[in-house]
Amino acid sequence: MSQNSILWCHLNLILISSLLLFCCSVGICSANDGLGATDDVVTVSSFSYPETTIRPYDLRYIRVDIPPWFSAVSIALNSDVDLHEDLSNVERISESSLPIICFRDGSPPLPDALNTSLKESAVTGLNGLDVEQCFPMEKNITMKLTNEQISPGAWYIGLFNGIGATRTQSKMIIRGSSYSFSANISVEACSNSMMRGELCNSTVYPLSCSVSDAYNTMKEMVKKPLMENVMTCKSNIETFCVQEGVPELYSLEITNVAEELTIIAANVRFNTTASNNTAGANDVNLMCFARHGAIPSNTLHDYSGDLNKAPLIIRSPLIGSLYISILPVNVTKKFGGTQYDNLKVCYSMESQVLRCPLGKAGPNCTMDSYTLQALAFMRNRNVPSAGVLQALAFMCSKEWLNPFESYYLPVGEGVSSANFPLEPLLNKSSNARETDDIWTYFTLDIPHGAAGRNIHIQLSADVKINYEVYAKFGGLPSLDFWDYYYANRTQKSEQSMFFMLYDSSDEKIDFYIIYAREGTWGLGLRHLDTSSDSLTVQTVMSISVEGCPKQCSSHGDCKYSFDASGLTSYSFCSCDRNHGGFDCSVEIVSHKGHILQSIFLIGSNAAAILPAYWSLQQKAFAEWILFTSSGIASGIYHACDVGTWCILSYNVLQFMDFWLSFMAVVSTFVYLSTVDEAYKRAIHTAVAILTALLAATKATRSSNIVLVIVIGAGGLLIAWLVEISKQYRSLSFSFGLSLSFLQSFQTIKQWLCDLVKTLLRRFRWGFLLVGFITLAMAGMSWTIETSANYWFWHSFWHVTIYTSSFFFLCSKANVVDVETSLPSSESYALTRQDSFSRDV
């Protein structure tokens, strides 16, 4: 590829990305024209999802982007799910067929390993979105979530039609109840960026930050060895005076990884000049509540403390918006009486954000920290492309399977391999050696739209690994604050379904963080051996963002799709017949069971020998070819279906199997008639077209068996009508010659009796009755097939459908010509006289 082509491709990618971002910012399909309930609340986005059908074991994701200044999110979902309005019946429904709805903040939900009960309603049971929550899908779900309940950012709604290990298993058939849904989701925000609350009636004062002087007035309260990295954040209003029980709200944006946040209230006093003013002010409780991403309250908050007694210190604050509420309490009681109803507490509030220098982190900024950069990789290549032109050429090539799959390498450390040595990066500073608790930190960013990917972390060594691994979203982890961790085989994040551990031992650590949230992640390695000898051990580390965990454990294929908005790409496994689970690691069918199912599904087609042999014996060569081909095609299809051998593509084999099976059923009906071969060929051609359409469109649906029987019965009826019409034409001619015949009821009665006798003589009714019984059994087996019992009941279908065809073929008796002759008439006919003399 030439450089001009590469640059042109890169320009196109930039234009497409810019167009997508522009559309998302202005909100195509959104109503942000100032539509709101009041002037203070406006609708910034409104999405309407059309009616969508979710088939069994299928799913849909809906992403909702919430801006920091939002006030509420309104959700209205309508579906045709009918749980009889009684969620107590949910326990009686298998999870593999239960329609559910899930909510999760930051990345798509994954309920397959959910251990919680599914009894509550989504309307009343939803309690924030900090963790994944799932509920039974209902007919109507209407809710409104305020900024006091959920945090801004991206959060996801997942709709599933059945969960569990079998959801990803490749099905021989997919049958079950589908359901459809439609949704309307709108996001409302405050027109004034300083207002918050559902009605935008709470003022929030933003704190602006600036670099502090190392010798400012705060250094005595926050004693750190690197004070020059302190950011002081204040409001434009120097002093706040508030009444008892009235909170003041503040917001602070933390844009980078910080070591510590300190919130301080100074110059606490009353707004009066009473003699006991000073003593009363010292005794006032100035409660501070802080919460990440949402408005705090005295009952719902992340941190709290009395600022009049000590500053509130938050270790490793999360990146994003932090909301702070300061509330005076017990003011009147402390001051003494109700005569001071207008008494207010005045204070000055500011905060300090301690950031470590570049390359440092942890307590006192004495630990090493490395920023990781993402480098896209091509499959089957060990070294990622580092050059710009090479990367652009890779993005424009067919090998760019996924733009979000990449390795993460330390910036500026001269590392060029995806598996980089760890010891040269570990902490060697003298300050760190003064303590036994030594950490090494790494930070990486998950890009926008990659929430459906997984962080893969690997460590390997020739000896026992002397590190513990901790991970935290939005900041650096510690022993007290982490999202996921691995210490050893007995101490790890077992309680989280988004932490998946593989093949780990004393010499190897291998785990995935499933569906990692977009944004900054902090990884921490805690050193277990702090001696100098530990640095001689060669430990190799690999950090990457990948699609399916463990490449679906070599038991399936990794697929990619987008959520309903098209803004998030997620990966999922499509497992083989014997495995399931999110990563295809769950064995659903054992090796012995696989052999047994193969024998049943393939060997049961030997029943086609019965109708094929009878057709050959009766010299019905068309039926012989049809039954023989149907049995062979079905055997080959099921050999491919169970994973034994595929002579052609799966879709071609499936079509041939169902089409020939449908044709075998219909031709059996047509065979029972005695119409001429010319008419049979015409009927066969018509039904071949109809059955081909059935086989090509939703061949596995249960209604097809009824349609095929109706088509076969219709073909037989048409053949009989053709046969009767020929007799009727001859009969009508005789009617025209004899007036007495038209007036004779006895003649018509005799004709009907002869017709009934003909039908009775044409069939062997014992065989016909057994044929209908076996056909009913075949229809029953078709309708009760499920994914779990398919191998048995579909094998039973093979046997019964071919056996019923055999009995129907045997039920046709040999028809003699006299049976098809017209009924006798007592009318005389003129005899022809020979006009020539016999003597001549």
Side-chain angles (χ1 to χ4, degrees), residues 497-514:
M497 62 181 156
F498 294 98
F499 178 89
M500 302 193 71
L501 186 67
Y502 294 95
D503 304 330
S504 294
S505 62
D506 292 339
E507 297 81 19
K508 184 179 180 180
I509 299 175
D510 187 351
F511 67 87
Y512 286 82
I513 298 175
I514 305 300

Side-chain angles (χ1 to χ4, degrees), residues 68-72 146-152 190 193-205 247-252 289-303 321-326:
W69 60 91
F70 87 103
S71 61
T146 67
N147 54 10
E148 297 178 355
Q149 297 174 285
I150 60 176
S151 304
C190 301
S193 61
M194 290 185 60
M195 306 302 292
R196 293 292 187 275
E198 181 180 354
L199 301 177
C200 296
N201 54 0
S202 300
T203 303
V204 176
Y205 298 96
E248 287 288 354
L249 299 176
Y250 309 89
S251 64
L252 175 61
F289 303 100
R291 187 180 178 191
H292 181 265
I295 303 297
S297 64
N298 56 349
T299 58
L300 190 59
H301 55 267
D302 298 330
Y303 312 95
S321 299
L322 182 71
Y323 291 93
I324 304 167
S325 173
I326 297 180

Side-chain angles (χ1 to χ4, degrees), residues 723-774:
E723 183 179 346
I724 294 175
S725 66
K726 294 173 61 178
Q727 299 180 17
Y728 179 77
R729 286 196 300 268
S730 300
L731 190 61
S732 62
F733 178 75
S734 64
F735 285 172
L737 294 179
S738 178
L739 181 62
S740 62
F741 179 83
L742 295 175
Q743 299 174 351
S744 176
F745 177 78
Q746 186 67 27
T747 303
I748 298 176
K749 181 179 179 181
Q750 182 64 36
W751 181 83
L752 292 176
C753 291
D754 291 342
L755 180 61
V756 172
K757 292 179 181 179
T758 300
L759 292 176
L760 292 176
R761 295 171 183 172
R762 181 166 293 181
F763 298 105
R764 300 184 179 97
W765 289 92
F767 286 103
L768 195 64
L769 178 61
V770 177
F772 277 113
I773 293 175
T774 52

Side-chain angles (χ1 to χ4, degrees), residues 641-771:
D641 200 37
V642 298
T644 303
W645 177 58
C646 294
I647 190 174
L648 294 172
S649 66
Y650 179 82
N651 292 333
V652 172
L653 293 177
Q654 186 183 60
F655 170 78
M656 291 298 297
D657 174 40
F658 282 89
W659 180 51
L660 291 175
S661 298
F662 294 160
M663 280 295 297
V665 174
V666 175
S667 67
T668 301
F669 282 90
V670 178
Y671 176 82
L672 297 179
S673 68
T674 58
V675 72
D676 295 341
E677 290 297 324
Y679 292 103
K680 282 188 177 181
R681 288 196 299 269
I683 296 174
H684 278 150
T685 303
V687 298
I689 296 174
L690 294 177
T691 53
L693 292 176
L694 290 179
T697 57
K698 298 181 180 180
T700 60
R701 58 184 175 183
S702 299
S703 59
N704 278 349
I705 185 63
V706 178
L707 293 175
V708 169
I709 293 177
V710 170
I711 293 174
L716 178 59
L717 179 61
I718 292 173
W720 281 348
L721 290 177
V722 171
E723 183 179 346
I724 294 175
S725 66
K726 294 173 61 178
Q727 299 180 17
Y728 179 77
R729 286 196 300 268
S730 300
L731 190 61
S732 62
F733 178 75
S734 64
F735 285 172
L737 294 179
S738 178
L739 181 62
S740 62
F741 179 83
L742 295 175
Q743 299 174 351
S744 176
F745 177 78
Q746 186 67 27
T747 303
I748 298 176
K749 181 179 179 181
Q750 182 64 36
W751 181 83
L752 292 176
C753 291
D754 291 342
L755 180 61
V756 172
K757 292 179 181 179
T758 300
L759 292 176
L760 292 176
R761 295 171 183 172
R762 181 166 293 181
F763 298 105
R764 300 184 179 97
W765 289 92
F767 286 103
L768 195 64
L769 178 61
V770 177

Side-chain angles (χ1 to χ4, degrees), residues 494-648:
E494 289 183 337
Q495 69 274 16
S496 175
M497 62 181 156
F498 294 98
F499 178 89
M500 302 193 71
L501 186 67
Y502 294 95
D503 304 330
S504 294
S505 62
D506 292 339
E507 297 81 19
K508 184 179 180 180
I509 299 175
D510 187 351
F511 67 87
Y512 286 82
I513 298 175
I514 305 300
Y515 285 173
R517 298 178 60 179
E518 303 170 0
T520 301
W521 282 83
L523 303 178
L525 295 183
R526 182 170 180 255
H527 304 209
L528 300 180
D529 186 0
T530 59
S531 64
S532 58
D533 295 337
S534 64
L535 297 178
T536 61
V537 178
Q538 294 295 323
T539 305
V540 176
M541 187 174 188
S542 174
I543 302 174
S544 60
V545 171
E546 302 177 5
C548 301
K550 212 69 176 178
Q551 286 299 305
C552 299
S553 306
S554 301
H555 296 303
D557 298 324
C558 189
K559 307 291 185 180
Y560 299 91
S561 186
F562 288 90
D563 72 299
S565 66
L567 298 178
T568 299
S569 172
Y570 64 93
S571 61
F572 62 95
C573 285
S574 177
C575 308
D576 58 25
R577 295 290 187 270
N578 304 329
H579 295 82
F582 176 75
D583 57 348
C584 301
S585 62
V586 180
E587 185 182 58
I588 299 177
V589 181
S590 64
H591 179 67
K592 183 182 295 185
H594 174 72
I595 295 176
L596 181 64
Q597 293 183 12
S598 301
I599 294 175
F600 267 73
L601 286 169
I602 300 174
S604 58
N605 291 283
I609 296 176
L610 294 175
Y613 173 76
W614 180 262
S615 300
L616 183 62
Q617 190 180 44
Q618 300 299 316
K619 296 183 179 181
F621 297 111
E623 284 74 9
W624 169 65
I625 294 176
L626 186 58
F627 285 112
T628 303
S629 301
S630 176
I632 295 175
S634 182
I636 295 176
Y637 160 68
H638 286 289
C640 177
D641 200 37
V642 298
T644 303
W645 177 58
C646 294
I647 190 174
L648 294 172

Side-chain angles (χ1 to χ4, degrees), residues 343-577:
L343 183 65
K344 295 182 179 181
V345 178
C346 301
Y347 61 89
S348 298
M349 181 268 186
E350 65 180 48
S351 62
Q352 282 195 340
V353 180
L354 174 61
R355 294 178 181 172
C356 296
L358 183 64
K360 293 296 179 179
N364 298 327
C365 298
T366 57
M367 307 299 173
D368 288 337
S369 177
Y370 299 91
T371 302
L372 302 179
Q373 64 176 346
L375 296 176
F377 66 92
M378 288 178 275
R379 297 193 181 277
N380 302 323
R381 296 192 181 184
N382 296 324
V383 181
S385 301
V388 176
L389 294 180
Q390 291 86 346
L392 291 176
F394 163 58
M395 293 172 66
C396 294
S397 67
K398 294 182 180 180
E399 292 182 302
W400 189 32
L401 299 180
N402 198 295
F404 298 119
E405 295 191 3
S406 56
Y407 289 113
Y408 283 81
L409 303 179
V411 177
E413 298 298 327
V415 179
S416 60
S417 174
N419 301 316
F420 55 89
L422 193 57
E423 275 70 26
L425 305 176
L426 299 184
N427 199 310
K428 306 181 183 66
S429 65
S430 58
N431 292 333
R433 291 297 165 189
E434 295 176 358
T435 177
D436 292 335
D437 194 14
I438 300 178
W439 291 69
T440 300
Y441 296 99
F442 301 91
T443 59
L444 59 96
D445 288 323
I446 303 298
H448 182 85
R453 297 298 184 277
N454 316 296
I455 299 178
H456 187 195
I457 300 174
Q458 300 179 86
L459 281 81
S460 61
D462 296 334
V463 296
K464 183 178 179 180
I465 296 177
N466 293 314
Y467 308 106
E468 296 176 350
V469 185
Y470 294 80
K472 181 182 178 182
F473 176 76
L476 297 179
S478 64
L479 288 177
D480 298 322
F481 301 100
W482 45 264
D483 294 329
Y484 310 97
Y485 85 101
Y486 177 85
N488 51 54
R489 283 179 289 182
T490 59
Q491 295 179 333
K492 53 185 180 295
S493 299
E494 289 183 337
Q495 69 274 16
S496 175
M497 62 181 156
F498 294 98
F499 178 89
M500 302 193 71
L501 186 67
Y502 294 95
D503 304 330
S504 294
S505 62
D506 292 339
E507 297 81 19
K508 184 179 180 180
I509 299 175
D510 187 351
F511 67 87
Y512 286 82
I513 298 175
I514 305 300
Y515 285 173
R517 298 178 60 179
E518 303 170 0
T520 301
W521 282 83
L523 303 178
L525 295 183
R526 182 170 180 255
H527 304 209
L528 300 180
D529 186 0
T530 59
S531 64
S532 58
D533 295 337
S534 64
L535 297 178
T536 61
V537 178
Q538 294 295 323
T539 305
V540 176
M541 187 174 188
S542 174
I543 302 174
S544 60
V545 171
E546 302 177 5
C548 301
K550 212 69 176 178
Q551 286 299 305
C552 299
S553 306
S554 301
H555 296 303
D557 298 324
C558 189
K559 307 291 185 180
Y560 299 91
S561 186
F562 288 90
D563 72 299
S565 66
L567 298 178
T568 299
S569 172
Y570 64 93
S571 61
F572 62 95
C573 285
S574 177
C575 308
D576 58 25
R577 295 290 187 270

